[in-house]
Every structure is written in C-alpha cells, then in structure tokens.
C-alpha cells in the first residue's frame, strides 16, 4: 500500500472529526518516521446524553499491505467502560476486521464500536434504571393512574349526591311553603266566618233589645171594619 493510499484511508477522520482524531507520529528504532499512517480515533456513543460520560480510543496502525491485510487495531481505555468491556470490544473489533479484509474497514469498524459502547458501558448502567426499577416505576405510574381515576369517580359521585340532596331540600321547602300558604288561607277563612257570625249575633241582639212586650189586664177588641193599623180599645 502506498503512502498516498494510507493517507487517503485516514482522511475521513482527519477532515470530519478533527476533535476526535489524533495523528500519531510513529518512528522506528532508528528514529526514522514510518511511512504508514497511524492515528487514534475517539469513539463516542450514539446517545447524546452519554457522549460526555463514555468514550474509548481506537488506535489504528496501517500496514503496507492494507487493505489486503487488516490494520493493527487496539481499543484503548477511555471513560465509562470496565476492563471486561474493553476486552470484549477488542475481541469484537478483531473478529469483524477479519471478515472485512480486502476493503476499507476502519470507518465501518468505528461505527460498530460506537454502537458497542452505547450498549455496553458502566455509565449507562448507572444512569439508566434497572429492569426492576423500571417495573416498579410502571407499577407506581399505573397505581397513580388508578388512584386518580378512583378519585375522579368519587368526586363525581359526591357531586351527584350533593345535587340530589339540594333538589330534595328544595322540594321539601316548596311543599312546606305550599302547606303554610294553605293553612294561612284556612285561618283567614275561619277568621272571616267568625267575624260574620259575631256581626250577625250583634245585630240580632240589638234587634231583640228593641222589641217591647206589652201586657194588658183586659182583653183587647179590634173593630174588623177598621183598618189594620187603626186604634183598638179595651
């Protein structure tokens, strides 16, 4: 592989990911700079919330026979992954590289490693709730929803009972007012009849007092020929 080809293989990282790309100037034992590219790409998760907590370095060293042979690939410790997870990532990258010999592979391996650190990292496990915690949260949310529905139903029944009680009290008041009005009307009629009776008795009494009874010692004789309102003699 020529120097130009090696530089072209590293170019995507050098242009598109300057903040995550570090060029490594490797030298031989005789302090001679090697003519094959060597760099480290900082691999971050695809989850934006994890990018500040999790990353690893993918150290790539091309060989002169690349891409007919796989480059030297080393997953370097970064942040948020345990040693066991780093070793697992290293094995995964090595196995995938063996299947991609003959073509450009570093960029694809970087994507695979990004997916890996997204799914396998201690930071994500600490930040994300466990299955049991998720189950408890779902149960609590369901119980809360049930309580809210029950409370809403209780309020509806309370309001219906209050309305029914108010309607009943209104009917009772209307009935009492009607009976009181009837009683008042009866009392007025009774008082009126009593006043009439008293007036009749008063008139009759005065009339009786005006009548004078006459007593005669001898029989009274009236002349039939005389007018009815004429004089009589004893």
């Amino acid at each position: 592989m020529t120097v130009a080809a090696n530089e072209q293989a590293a170019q995507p990282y050098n242009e598109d990911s300057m903040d995550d790309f570090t060029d490594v100037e490797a030298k031989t034992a005789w302090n001679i700079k090697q003519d094959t590219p060597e760099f480290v790409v900082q691999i971050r998760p695809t989850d934006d919330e994890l990018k500040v907590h999790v990353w690893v370095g993918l150290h790539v060293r091309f060989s002169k026979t690349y891409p007919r042979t796989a480059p030297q690939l080393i997953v370097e410790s970064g942040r948020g992954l345990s040693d066991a997870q780093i070793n697992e990532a290293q094995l995964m990258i090595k196995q995938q590289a063996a299947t991609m010999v003959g073509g450009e592979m570093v960029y694809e391996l970087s994507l695979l490693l990004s997916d890996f650190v997204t799914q396998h990292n201690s930071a994500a496990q600490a930040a994300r709730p466990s299955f049991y915690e998720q189950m408890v949260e779902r149960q609590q949310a369901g119980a809360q929803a049930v309580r809210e529905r029950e409370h809403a139903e209780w309020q509806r029944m309370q309001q219906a009972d209050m309305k029914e009680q108010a309607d009943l009290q209104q009917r009772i008041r209307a009935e009492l007012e009607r009976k009181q009005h009837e009683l008042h009307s009866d009392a007025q009629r009774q008082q009126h009849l009593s006043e009439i009776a008293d007036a009749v008795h008063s008139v009759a009494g005065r009339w009786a007092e005006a009548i004078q009874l006459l007593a005669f010692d001898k029989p009274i004789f009236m002349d039939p020929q005389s007018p009815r309102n004429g004089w009589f003699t004893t």
Side-chain angles (χ1 to χ4, degrees):
M1 182 177 185
T2 64
V3 175
N6 281 325
E7 290 177 351
Q8 185 177 3
Q11 192 69 21
Y13 306 98
N14 203 4
E15 291 180 352
D16 299 336
S17 308
M18 293 298 296
D19 294 338
D20 295 334
F21 179 89
T22 303
D23 191 10
V24 177
E25 186 177 347
K27 295 183 179 181
T28 64
W30 293 276
N31 202 26
I32 299 175
K33 184 178 179 180
Q34 295 185 5
D35 58 357
T36 55
E38 184 176 353
F39 55 89
V40 177
V41 181
Q42 192 175 75
I43 306 298
R44 297 180 182 272
T46 57
D47 189 340
D48 291 337
E49 295 181 358
L50 293 174
K51 287 183 177 180
V52 296
H53 303 291
V54 178
W55 68 82
V56 295
L58 179 60
H59 193 141
V60 181
R61 179 184 294 174
F62 288 110
S63 64
K64 293 182 178 181
T65 57
Y66 179 82
R68 295 192 305 275
T69 59
Q72 181 178 351
L73 302 167
I74 302 174
V75 179
E76 298 179 345
S77 298
R79 182 178 180 181
L81 273 76
S82 64
D83 292 340
Q85 290 170 333
I86 291 293
N87 293 335
E88 185 178 356
Q90 179 67 55
L91 179 62
M92 184 269 295
I93 288 294
K94 183 178 179 180
Q95 292 175 342
Q96 290 295 325
T99 65
M100 302 171 70
V101 171
E104 300 293 341
M105 67 178 71
V106 178
Y107 185 73
E108 294 296 329
L109 292 174
S110 298
L111 296 179
L112 291 173
L113 186 56
S114 179
D115 292 337
F116 178 87
V117 299
T118 301
Q119 300 296 327
H120 305 83
N121 61 82
S122 56
Q125 294 174 359
R128 297 171 182 171
S130 64
F131 175 79
Y132 175 76
E133 290 173 340
Q134 291 177 348
M135 181 183 67
V136 172
E137 289 179 357
R138 288 194 298 269
Q139 290 176 347
Q140 291 176 346
Q144 178 66 22
V146 171
R147 286 193 296 268
E148 290 177 354
R149 288 195 300 268
E150 291 177 347
H151 182 67
E153 179 65 16
W154 178 81
Q155 285 185 325
R156 187 190 65 78
M157 294 178 63
Q158 286 290 103
Q159 292 175 354
D161 290 342
M162 291 173 61
K163 184 178 184 303
E164 184 177 355
Q165 290 293 330
D167 293 342
L168 178 60
Q169 291 177 3
Q170 185 176 3
R171 290 196 299 269
I172 292 174
R173 285 196 298 268
E175 182 66 17
L176 288 176
E177 290 175 357
R178 185 183 65 80
K179 289 186 177 296
Q180 288 176 353
H181 179 71
E182 290 179 353
L183 290 175
H184 182 68
S185 299
D186 290 342
Q188 285 182 332
R189 285 196 298 270
Q190 292 295 332
Q191 183 179 359
H192 183 63
L193 291 175
S194 178
E195 291 175 352
I196 293 175
D198 291 343
V200 171
H201 289 311
S202 178
V203 171
R206 287 195 301 271
W207 181 77
E209 291 176 356
I211 297 176
Q212 295 181 357
L213 298 178
L214 299 177
F216 297 93
D217 294 334
K218 295 180 180 181
I220 299 174
F221 298 98
M222 297 186 66
D223 188 358
Q225 299 300 322
S226 300
R228 239 173 160 24
N229 56 358
W231 296 95
F232 59 87
T233 60
T234 61

